[in-house]
Amino acid sequence: MFAPRTAPWPLVALFTAGYLPPYLLPTTVGRLDTALPLTATQAGAVGSALLLSSASAGFLLASRMQRLGARTPARFGLALAFLGYGAASLTTAVPAVVAGAVLGGLGSGTAMTVAATRIAAERDPHRASTLGLLTVSALAGAVYLTVPHLGRAHGLPLAAIALTALVVWPLTGRLPGPEAASPAAHGTGTTTPLPGRRSGLVLAAAVLCWSLAQNSLWGVSGRIGLTQAGLGDATLGVVFAVALGAGLLGVLAAGALGPRLGRAMPVGAGTVVIAGCIALTASATTPTTFAAGEIAWNTLYPVVLSYLIGLAASLDPRGRWAVLVGSASSLGTAAGPLTGSVLSSQAGYPVMGLVLAALLLVVAAPMTAVALHTGGRPLLPGAVRRRGGTPAALVAAATGTPSGAVPEIGAAEQAVVEITVDAPAVPVRRAYDTAGPRQAAAAPGPGAS
């Protein structure tokens, strides 16, 4: 009998706290624009600064997570998020709001980095990331339904993020602390070269552009709905909540499918369909068209994102590529609000949608190629499969892979390490004599006297 799988809820909660700021980006930027003396472009720049600070945390911590452990960085990040977003929600002074948003972004980025690293070490990283996307979509949907009824203050979305960090903080006690140094760890520590370097770099660059296109539209979706599609504030909140609810269905479908379709088809075909949804949403002039584009887009976005997270995790069981690709995604997310604001103000929303859709079509090809190259299917622990003559179990031993799925060797391009085995010496044979039967007394066996 197999033991039932338990969900890594502390990681799921940490994932939710780290990913919530990008999900609330439209209402955060929209309220900065309307409630503070900021233009639309300036509000987008504040959103970009928040997410850029979040991305920087990943790049700073990617190579240090194994030494630092998970508990201390997670607590530090959640504390920064609570203090930064909380302070930004309580003041109307623009410099203080910007400083608080940047500090909070650093904290949520730290939480996201810890979650990505630990999820990559799970037996089923796709399942863990799917649960995280499920919870963050549900929470963001609840915020979109609630916040419009509480007033037009700029700090309401920021306060929601701060409170989420505060609620998640006690769960960090179940995360592991720093790993004790050992001779084996010194041989396989952070100095171990990154596996699949070419695939990882291609994926990171493509995901950066992918996230840039997504969040360029997401950052101005509120203004498209209000000014071009003619929705009211409360109706717009309902549309966003329904869209995120549809995203929950998409995440559930992705979790049910798992690796059955591989990763190439969901990533490639999903990105192509998302490009069409973005073009439709940006050109919408009626509430019905806008709602249809938003709902279809948000249904597919978390599905493709969950497969991209799993793809990055499969490149390195230590989670370094998961963190670096996630940080590249955060860079694209950070540039999204400002890019969307500049494009829409210079060329209009429909042209902006066509430009973003074209960018997605371009990056769909390299992401699909990486998914095809890596295979995207984990091997069970102890299984040995050869590709290019390298056994997977040997790679796992050389890299210190935790007990879990071992990625295919197409993804882990590592050199074979020779392991010296001490065998007992062969006993010295007696001097050879002439051929013939031995004396009975000299014959070995139970008959010897």
Side-chain angles (χ1 to χ4, degrees):
M1 295 293 292
F2 291 99
R5 293 185 302 173
T6 57
W9 291 116
L11 291 182
V12 171
L14 197 62
F15 184 99
T16 302
Y19 265 83
L20 187 60
Y23 269 72
L24 296 183
L25 194 63
T27 186
T28 302
V29 172
R31 285 170 177 265
L32 291 176
D33 179 13
T34 57
L36 296 178
L38 294 172
T39 65
T41 302
Q42 290 171 337
V46 174
S48 293
L50 183 159
L51 297 174
L52 182 62
S53 177
S54 180
S56 66
F59 288 114
L60 290 173
L61 296 174
S63 62
R64 298 175 173 86
M65 289 308 304
Q66 186 174 6
R67 185 175 72 253
L68 296 175
R71 188 186 309 125
T72 300
R75 288 178 170 176
F76 178 72
L78 292 173
L80 284 184
F82 174 73
L83 294 175
Y85 292 125
S89 68
L90 296 175
T91 182
T92 56
V94 173
V97 170
V98 174
V102 170
L103 182 64
L106 185 64
S108 57
T110 301
M112 191 185 306
T113 300
V114 176
T117 303
R118 301 303 303 180
I119 285 175
E122 288 288 311
R123 285 182 176 272
D124 191 350
H126 183 265
R127 176 173 177 266
S129 60
T130 297
L131 288 172
L133 291 172
L134 194 66
T135 56
V136 73
S137 298
L139 180 58
V143 172
Y144 277 115
L145 284 175
T146 305
V147 162
H149 300 286
L150 300 178
R152 290 294 305 165
H154 78 282
L156 290 174
L158 298 171
I161 302 171
L163 291 176
T164 301
L166 182 63
V167 170
V168 172
W169 200 91
L171 299 178
T172 57
R174 298 171 59 184
L175 296 174
E179 296 183 5
S182 64
H186 289 297
T188 59
T190 57
T191 57
T192 304
L194 276 171
R197 188 179 296 270
R198 183 174 59 183
S199 296
L201 290 175
V202 170
L203 183 62
V207 168
L208 187 154
C209 297
W210 188 86
S211 295
L212 172 66
Q214 308 285 337
N215 287 278
S216 293
L217 179 65
W218 187 238
V220 298
S221 286
R223 295 205 295 272
I224 294 175
L226 292 172
T227 62
Q228 182 172 281
L231 280 75
D233 190 47
T235 307
L236 181 65
V238 171
V239 170
F240 283 149
V242 172
L244 291 173
L248 294 178
L249 298 178
V251 172
L252 288 174
L257 286 173
R260 291 181 180 88
L261 300 177
R263 291 194 181 102
M265 190 176 78
V267 167
T271 299
V272 171
V273 178
I274 286 175
C277 295
I278 284 181
L280 176 64
T281 302
S283 61
T285 55
T286 64
T288 302
T289 306
F290 177 79
E294 282 285 336
I295 292 171
W297 172 35
N298 281 276
T299 301
L300 291 171
Y301 167 78
V303 175
V304 179
L305 179 60
S306 68
Y307 281 97
L308 287 174
I309 293 172
L311 179 58
S314 72
L315 294 176
D316 178 25
R318 291 182 179 276
R320 289 170 293 179
W321 275 124
V323 173
L324 292 174
V325 171
S327 298
S329 174
S330 297
L331 280 180
T333 302
L338 183 59
T339 302
S341 297
V342 172
L343 279 176
S344 60
S345 62
Q346 296 296 322
Y349 296 121
V351 174
M352 178 200 71
L354 292 176
V355 172
L356 298 178
L359 177 61
L360 285 177
L361 293 177
V362 170
V363 301
M367 291 194 303
T368 305
V370 172
L372 288 172
H373 175 66
T374 59
R377 294 183 302 275
L379 294 173
L380 295 176
V384 177
R385 177 174 178 173
R386 291 184 178 272
R387 177 177 293 183
T390 309
L394 184 56
V395 175
T399 56
T401 303
S403 60
V406 180
E408 286 187 337
I409 305 310
E413 300 170 357
Q414 299 226 7
V416 177
V417 178
E418 294 184 3
I419 302 176
T420 303
V421 179
D422 294 330
V426 179
V428 178
R429 189 181 298 273
R430 294 183 178 182
Y432 290 100
D433 201 350
T434 57
R438 291 178 177 269
Q439 296 290 333
S449 56

